[in-house]
Amino acid sequence: MLKPDPAVIYLRVETGRPPGAAEDDARAFAGRRGLTVAGVVTDPYGDADPCERAGWRRVRDMAAAGEIGTVIVRLPSCLAPEDAHEVRYREMRWLLDRGVRVRFSWPALTPPDGGAG
């Protein structure tokens, strides 16, 4: 069973740079869907495997503790690059097994109905 709010925004950023527009877009996405943002977690670009990133491990800890019901990411490649797509699916399945869904905030990836489900 999927959990309701709250949501966490997960972003990949360049080292030493704030998230900027990506965070603003994710917050607007959450607002349009009635999601409460509990926090923002960032990781620098680098490791393809999310489990090697401190920020992603924090997201997993939040999910395991039942603190979140949604993870908002801009693009699937924020989880893992295309050449490591199997890792992306592994992480999405791990979250879903704990009742946490992943939502993509990039408009081209949002279903026509707004992705309410």
Side-chain angles (χ1 to χ4, degrees), residues 81-96:
E82 286 302 317
D83 62 353
H85 62 274
E86 67 282 351
V87 176
R88 180 186 316 152
Y89 299 131
R90 178 198 74 203
E91 292 304 300
M92 291 174 66
R93 172 55 53 197
W94 189 92
L95 290 168
L96 192 57

Side-chain angles (χ1 to χ4, degrees), residues 36-99:
T36 302
V37 176
V40 177
V41 176
T42 62
D43 271 320
Y45 290 104
D47 291 313
D49 187 339
C51 290
E52 298 297 320
R53 304 178 208 142
W56 186 255
R57 288 191 304 269
R58 183 170 161 227
V59 169
R60 280 176 136 247
D61 289 346
M62 295 169 78
E67 297 172 7
I68 56 173
T70 303
V71 178
I72 300 171
V73 297
R74 194 169 207 186
L75 295 164
S77 61
C78 292
L79 297 176
E82 286 302 317
D83 62 353
H85 62 274
E86 67 282 351
V87 176
R88 180 186 316 152
Y89 299 131
R90 178 198 74 203
E91 292 304 300
M92 291 174 66
R93 172 55 53 197
W94 189 92
L95 290 168
L96 192 57
D97 288 347
R98 284 146 188 85

